[in-house]
Structure formats: C-alpha cells, structure tokens
Amino acid sequence: MPIPPTLTWLPPPDGPAVRMIDQTRLPGELVLLNCRTIDQLCVAIVRLSVRGAPAIGCAAGLGLALAAYLSESKDVEHLLDELRQAQAALAATRPTAVNLFWALERVMGVAEAAAPAGIEALRDRVLAEAQAIVAEDLETCMAIGRHGAPLLPDEGNVLTHCNAGALACAGYGTAEGVMRAAVATGKKLHIWADETRPLLQGARLTAWELMQEGIPVTVICDNMAGALMAQGRVDCVLVGADRIAANGDVANKIGTYSVAVLARAHGIPFYVAAPLSTLDRATPTGAQIRIEERPGEEISLVAGRLREPITPAGAQIYNPAFDVTPAELVTAIITEVGVFRAPYGEW
Amino acid sequence: MPIPPTLTWLPPPDGPAVRMIDQTRLPGELVLLNCRTIDQLCVAIVRLSVRGAPAIGCAAGLGLALAAYLSESKDVEHLLDELRQAQAALAATRPTAVNLFWALERVMGVAEAAAPAGIEALRDRVLAEAQAIVAEDLETCMAIGRHGAPLLPDEGNVLTHCNAGALACAGYGTAEGVMRAAVATGKKLHIWADETRPLLQGARLTAWELMQEGIPVTVICDNMAGALMAQGRVDCVLVGADRIAANGDVANKIGTYSVAVLARAHGIPFYVAAPLSTLDRATPTGAQIRIEERPGEEISLVAGRLREPITPAGAQIYNPAFDVTPAELVTAIITEVGVFRAPYGEW
C-alpha cells in the first residue's frame, strides 16, 4: 500500500493548515492531523507527531506559510514581524535537527526579499518556497537512493536504527530511500529494525513503512544488534542523521553511536544517508552539537502507552534524544550529490 | 526498606509450597506467590516470576522438595520416579542458566543416596539439601561481594545490565552484591541501570532493589550506554552471568555482549560476578551454550503491559533472551572463592 505524503499544505477553504500523518498514532492507526495554528504545529513537532530531520524542516517551512496565511496584517513590515515570531516559536521546538533552522532561514530570506512586492506576493512566495522545500526533499531522497543503492549488498542484511524513512522526510526517505532504491534495482535485502527506545520509531514506523513496501523486515530490541553482528547476520548498517558537523561527526537518534562502535568492532560498514541540508558547516565538530534531553516519562511510560510506569516511583531517569557518532566510525555519508568519505574537507 | 527473601520454603500446614516474590509484578506491587504444584512452579519459572540464574537454581531445588512433599507414594523407588519426573519438568523450563541443571542434579543425587533410608528420610534430606542451596547462595553472594568490592572505584559510576541482584539470587545478589559490599565499605557509587529490553529487569528490578537499599541509581535505555561511556560517565561495567563456559565465555542477558564491546572500545573494565555454580566446565566455549529464544510478544507487548502491540500487525520479531560475551572482553570474573582473570585454565 502506498504511504500518503508525510506533510502537505491544505489550502483554504479547508485550510489553511499544515496536514501531516500523526506519527504518534502509527502503526495502530493512520490518522491525518491538520495543524491550523503555529501553536498546534509547534506542539505537533514537540510531541513528535512529525519527526525526522528533513520532515521537521518541511514542517517548519510550511509553518511560515501558515503564519503568512493566518495573518490579518495590512502592512508588510507587520507581517514580517509575525513571520519572525512564528520562526522563533518553531525554532524553539527542538534543538538538534539542523534542517529546522535551515528551512526557517531559507523561507524567511524569501519573505524578506519579497517584501517590496507587497503582502499578497510575499504570501505566495513564502508558500511556494515552503512547497519547494517539500518537493526538493522528495527529489533529494530519490537522489540519495540512487547514490546509495550500489553500496548495499546484492543480497543480505541491513541493520537500521530509528526511522529515516518516508515518514522522516517529505517521502521516500534517506536511509530507507537507499533501501527502496536498492530493492528497486533487484537487490534482495532483509532489514533488521532496532526498535529504538524510548519512542520506538523503529518498531512502530520503520517496520510499518517497510511492510507497506513489501521489504522484509524483522524488529529487534536495540540491545540485540551486537549479538546479530557477532553471528555474522548483519552485512551493513545504514542510518539517517539529524545534524552532521563540518568534520563529518554525525548526530542521530540516541543509540546510533553504540551501533557504530559495534559495527566497527565487527568490521561492518556503517553508512549515513542524509541530505546536504543536514550538514551544518557552521558547527566544526560533533562536540558543539546541542543534544536535546527529553522527559524521563518517555522511558518510564513507554512512549505514553502506559499509565503505570515501568520504573519504581521516584526513580531517576536519563533521556538524551541523540548522540554523536565521530566521523572516524562512519564508512561513508550518502547525499543527493554523491557519496562522501573522510576527510570531509571539500564538501 | 529490607527486601524479603526471593524464595522460601513454606512448610505444612500453610504449605507445602515454594513461596517467591512475583517479580513480574514489581516495581508496582510486592506480591508473594505460593507455588503449590510442580506445574505452578514451572509456569512461574517460564513466566519469569522468579528469574536470575542463582534464583532459578534455588527454585528448582525447592521444587524437588515440593515434589517429595506432595508425593503420596509409599514406595521409595516410586517416589524417586516422581522426583525424576519433576526434575525433567523443571529442567525443561529454561535452557540457558546452568544453575537450574546443577541444582536439580545436586538434589537428585542426595535423594538417590537417601533412598535406602526410606521415604521420610529421603523427603527430609531433599528439603534440607534444597534449603542448603538457598542458604549457601546467600553466603556465596556475600563472599562474591567481599571479593569484588575492591575492584570498584572509591567514587564513581558503575553500569549494569539486567538484574543480578537480591532478586536474581536467594538474596544480596551477585553483581548488585558487589555494589552493596562496596557501598558498605564506604565507596560512593552511582549505578546506571540499563532498562534491559524486552522484559525491563533493569528498569523494574535493579532500580527498585537499589532504591530500597538507598544506593543512587539512574535508569537509561539500553542504547544510551555507549553515549554515556563516550562522555566519560561510566567507570566500570558489572554484570551477572547465566552460564560461564570453561574458557571464560559468559552467557548473560541479551545486550550484555554489546555492553562488553562498548566497554572495550572505551577502555572501561568489564566485570562479571557469578557463583561457581554458574561455571559449566562441561561446556568448552560459549559457542556450545544453547541460547533461549522467547516469544516476540515480549517485545511487541512490552513485557505484557500493552494490549495493542508497538509493532505493526504481522511484524516479524526476533527475541533471543541471552548472548555470549567472549572471555577476551571480560576483565575479570568475581566468584565466591576469588577473582579470576584469563586464561581460565585452572578454575
């Protein structure tokens, strides 16, 4: 079954709204959520109704279009102020994925350039730019797929962590896009999907999306990856990224670093697939990437699915959302313009 | 608050029964479960109401006493047959922990030796031997604690996986026993408890038991251990074992191997604490240890706590309960007779 678009613009009269798959409801239910205000959109991003670095970028861009359409301002300067407020609110939702800031700056640049042309033109151009980000993201993912597919084995097992699939992007996916492209060229792949605690994006989203596509997938707990590698049952690791520092250090979902260390210890290639919009040239190394820390209840209440916590009352819990994999553990980074390997000076 | 005994013998008239803390109910409720038949006891072991290699050994020993007390046989040979049936049923519950087979053989040996003395004497000696196993296990854990405590830092962070605590033994614990002993000598420890998917023994049991003892503990997801090590926030790893091969390879809860690889990659000591009853001299290396595979629902229904699975309907799931850490990744094995390091020829 084809997967609906992760994010779309819902125009008036039904909108304006940013319409998205509510990923917190998957895999039980496929529900579309209409965010009709910036507040609703911010909540959707914080709650991870939409998640994945490229998809967050698309959501932020569409968010500025939403702010422009919601505005009743008659004055371009005032409208720009409203857009800047929306930008600030959206930028405050999550700190690690750089695509969020990249998309906001890109659309705000267009808004400022369009200001002399008046309110109507500004609004149109903001929406067009946001929609361009969405369309480009889809094309980018397909290009990442084309560049990455040759790296995967003709037949074998690929381990992935979290979800870097259609649901993490406008569609198609980065890491999962490479899997899709490889399968489309006739490669016979089986995917090991780390469940990805605490929020279970692997068990919920990666498994769902690969099953929709008919790509064989088996869910494991995160702590099983090493044992599978020791048994020779993992041919390569392929993950996405939330931010890539200039030196090639990769911030991605918590647990990615452990998988990278395990892959190195077993001589297994570790690939990262990400659009260039995830590359943060202003951040020299991973040490400067701010790592979001999220509430302990995500762990103790199992992504909101329990009423009674799994931990004792009053237990201390630590819940960092991301970690940094140093460039030296990354075999290659697959982008829409090609495959990069260390040293990453020239990109 | 002191923790009640993990397992006790409940004599007539309230018994005969094997009484245990029902560990599936922790940390929400502290419930004592009376197993009045061998079937009930087997179910309790399979369901992990009692778990942990030493505790399973104690349960099996007490199980043979239960079989002896339940028997209405007037004939010693017939009673021995009933005990052998109980032994077979108990031995079939779980394949990996060697203490199960060790305890069954030890008690059956006593039963066979006592046969000439008649039914009453046989029954008494079987119970005495089972109770001796329980009492020795507690002493053994305390000796492990004394031998292991000097290995821990005077002040620092210890990471553990699963539960090798009082709840995994007759009391006190193996890995957690070393922590207890170290704290008792004035060491200031903070414990990182891997939650230990799928059945969450770390989040549920290790956190509960250390909090009862007032030892500072923080729960993390299994996939966070590597990031903590990279930050320099883990001074050593300390775990239990379900079976140790003659060459020092260690079978323990799934995920232990990944932690061992991570510890090695970060230059962090990796200690195993276990009684000699966990050492299986008949098994040359870890490759010969049978690894239990358990139902996928333990993962998808989060240890029975959910009605709706976290995975899509029909998803493939792989759920091995243990993995093998090769001896070369183990810094030392702490036993009741002292600390062993590779090569393990002379133990």
Side-chain angles (χ1 to χ4, degrees):
Chain A
M1 198 185 80
I3 301 170
T6 308
L7 288 146
T8 49
W9 172 251
L10 185 67
D14 294 334
V18 179
R19 169 172 277 196
M20 62 180 66
I21 298 176
D22 184 350
Q23 300 189 34
T24 65
R25 307 282 286 274
L26 284 174
E29 296 175 298
L30 179 58
V31 176
L32 296 178
L33 174 69
N34 296 325
C35 295
R36 299 182 181 281
T37 67
I38 297 298
D39 276 359
Q40 287 174 1
L41 182 60
C42 288
V43 168
I45 295 172
V46 169
R47 289 188 65 238
L48 278 52
S49 292
V50 61
R51 31 64 54 200
I56 293 174
C58 294
L62 291 171
L64 291 180
L66 178 63
Y69 271 75
L70 291 173
S71 172
E72 296 179 353
S73 179
K74 305 288 182 234
D75 169 335
V76 164
E77 275 310 315
H78 187 248
L79 174 55
L80 281 175
D81 275 348
E82 289 181 302
L83 290 183
R84 285 185 201 106
Q85 285 172 31
Q87 176 182 23
L90 289 161
T93 51
R94 301 196 65 196
T96 304
V98 76
N99 312 59
L100 173 65
F101 313 106
W102 167 85
L104 289 169
E105 278 158 29
R106 176 169 157 181
V107 176
M108 275 309 295
V110 166
E112 276 157 11
I119 286 185
E120 286 304 315
L122 187 157
R123 196 173 276 166
D124 290 349
R125 290 193 202 163
V126 162
L127 176 58
E129 193 68 14
Q131 290 185 309
I133 288 175
V134 174
E136 287 168 22
D137 185 63
L138 199 58
E139 283 171 25
T140 295
C141 285
M142 297 182 79
I144 289 171
R146 285 192 299 275
H147 288 297
L151 298 176
L152 299 193
D154 289 342
E155 189 166 344
N157 296 287
V158 179
L159 185 138
T160 191
H161 189 74
C162 199
N163 174 269
L167 292 165
C169 306
Y172 202 75
T174 54
E176 275 84 326
V178 174
M179 297 171 200
R180 280 188 170 84
V183 168
T185 66
K187 295 193 174 192
K188 296 193 193 319
L189 301 181
H190 164 261
I191 313 301
W192 296 109
D194 277 358
E195 66 171 352
T196 317
R197 282 282 283 153
L199 296 181
L200 301 163
Q201 292 92 338
R204 296 191 299 110
L205 308 179
T206 299
W208 181 80
E209 125 171 31
L210 293 176
M211 287 170 76
Q212 300 293 315
E213 296 269 334
I215 299 176
V217 56
T218 303
V219 175
I220 57 170
C221 295
D222 301 321
N223 63 26
M224 297 170 185
L228 284 173
M229 290 181 189
Q231 293 167 32
R233 296 168 76 185
V234 178
D235 296 299
C236 74
V237 176
L238 175 55
V239 299
D242 289 84
R243 189 186 302 213
I244 302 175
N247 73 338
D249 290 352
V250 173
N252 192 46
K253 179 55 54 195
I254 186 72
T256 302
Y257 170 67
S258 290
V259 175
V261 171
L262 288 164
R264 171 61 52 91
H266 294 85
I268 295 167
F270 179 90
Y271 299 117
V272 174
L276 286 175
S277 56
T278 304
L279 173 61
D280 179 12
R281 291 185 178 83
T283 296
T285 76
Q288 290 85 43
I289 297 176
R290 188 178 146 208
I291 299 297
E292 179 181 10
E293 197 175 326
R294 294 181 59 92
E297 286 73 24
E298 290 187 346
I299 295 177
S300 60
L301 298 179
V302 184
R305 287 171 181 241
L306 296 182
R307 287 174 179 232
E308 294 293 322
I310 57 171
T311 46
Q316 293 270 1
I317 302 170
Y318 176 56
N319 184 21
F322 303 94
D323 58 27
V324 173
T325 298
E328 68 199 44
L329 294 179
V330 178
T331 307
I333 299 179
I334 307 160
T335 76
E336 67 271 34
V337 300
V339 176
F340 293 85
R341 294 173 192 262
Y344 296 95
E346 70 279 17
W347 64 356
Chain B
M1 199 185 79
I3 301 170
T6 309
L7 288 146
T8 48
W9 172 251
L10 186 66
D14 294 335
V18 179
R19 169 172 277 194
M20 61 179 67
I21 298 177
D22 183 350
Q23 300 189 35
T24 65
R25 308 282 287 273
L26 284 173
E29 296 174 296
L30 180 57
V31 176
L32 295 178
L33 174 68
N34 296 325
C35 295
R36 299 183 182 280
T37 67
I38 296 299
D39 276 358
Q40 286 174 4
L41 183 60
C42 288
V43 168
I45 295 172
V46 170
R47 289 188 65 238
L48 277 53
S49 291
V50 61
R51 30 64 54 198
I56 292 173
C58 293
L62 291 171
L64 290 181
L66 178 63
Y69 271 74
L70 290 173
S71 172
E72 296 178 355
S73 180
K74 305 288 180 231
D75 169 336
V76 165
E77 275 310 313
H78 187 248
L79 174 56
L80 281 174
D81 275 348
E82 288 182 302
L83 290 183
R84 285 186 201 105
Q85 284 172 32
Q87 176 183 23
L90 288 161
T93 52
R94 300 196 66 195
T96 305
V98 75
N99 312 59
L100 173 63
F101 312 106
W102 167 85
L104 288 169
E105 278 159 28
R106 176 169 158 180
V107 177
M108 276 308 295
V110 166
E112 277 158 10
I119 286 185
E120 285 305 313
L122 188 157
R123 195 174 276 165
D124 289 348
R125 290 195 203 163
V126 162
L127 175 58
E129 193 68 13
Q131 290 185 310
I133 288 176
V134 175
E136 286 169 23
D137 185 63
L138 198 59
E139 283 170 27
T140 294
C141 285
M142 298 183 79
I144 290 172
R146 285 193 300 275
H147 288 296
L151 298 175
L152 300 192
D154 289 343
E155 189 167 345
N157 296 288
V158 179
L159 185 137
T160 192
H161 188 74
C162 198
N163 173 268
L167 292 166
C169 306
Y172 203 75
T174 54
E176 275 83 326
V178 175
M179 298 172 199
R180 281 187 170 83
V183 167
T185 66
K187 295 193 174 191
K188 296 192 193 318
L189 302 180
H190 164 261
I191 313 302
W192 297 108
D194 277 358
E195 66 171 352
T196 317
R197 282 282 282 152
L199 296 180
L200 301 163
Q201 291 92 337
R204 296 190 300 109
L205 307 179
T206 299
W208 180 79
E209 112 169 45
L210 293 176
M211 288 169 75
Q212 300 293 315
E213 297 271 333
I215 299 176
V217 55
T218 302
V219 175
I220 57 170
C221 295
D222 302 321
N223 64 27
M224 297 169 185
L228 283 173
M229 290 181 189
Q231 294 167 32
R233 296 168 77 185
V234 178
D235 296 300
C236 73
V237 176
L238 176 55
V239 298
D242 289 83
R243 187 186 303 212
I244 303 176
N247 74 337
D249 290 352
V250 174
N252 191 44
K253 180 55 53 197
I254 185 73
T256 302
Y257 170 67
S258 290
V259 175
V261 172
L262 289 164
R264 169 62 52 90
H266 294 86
I268 295 168
F270 179 90
Y271 299 117
V272 173
L276 286 175
S277 57
T278 304
L279 172 61
D280 179 13
R281 290 185 178 85
T283 297
T285 76
Q288 290 85 42
I289 297 176
R290 188 176 147 209
I291 299 297
E292 179 181 10
E293 197 176 326
R294 292 181 60 91
E297 287 72 25
E298 289 186 348
I299 295 177
S300 61
L301 298 179
V302 185
R305 288 171 180 242
L306 296 182
R307 286 173 179 233
E308 294 293 322
I310 58 171
T311 46
Q316 292 270 0
I317 302 170
Y318 175 56
N319 184 22
F322 303 95
D323 58 26
V324 174
T325 298
E328 69 199 44
L329 294 179
V330 178
T331 308
I333 299 179
I334 306 160
T335 75
E336 67 271 33
V337 299
V339 175
F340 292 85
R341 294 173 193 264
Y344 296 96
E346 69 280 17
W347 64 356

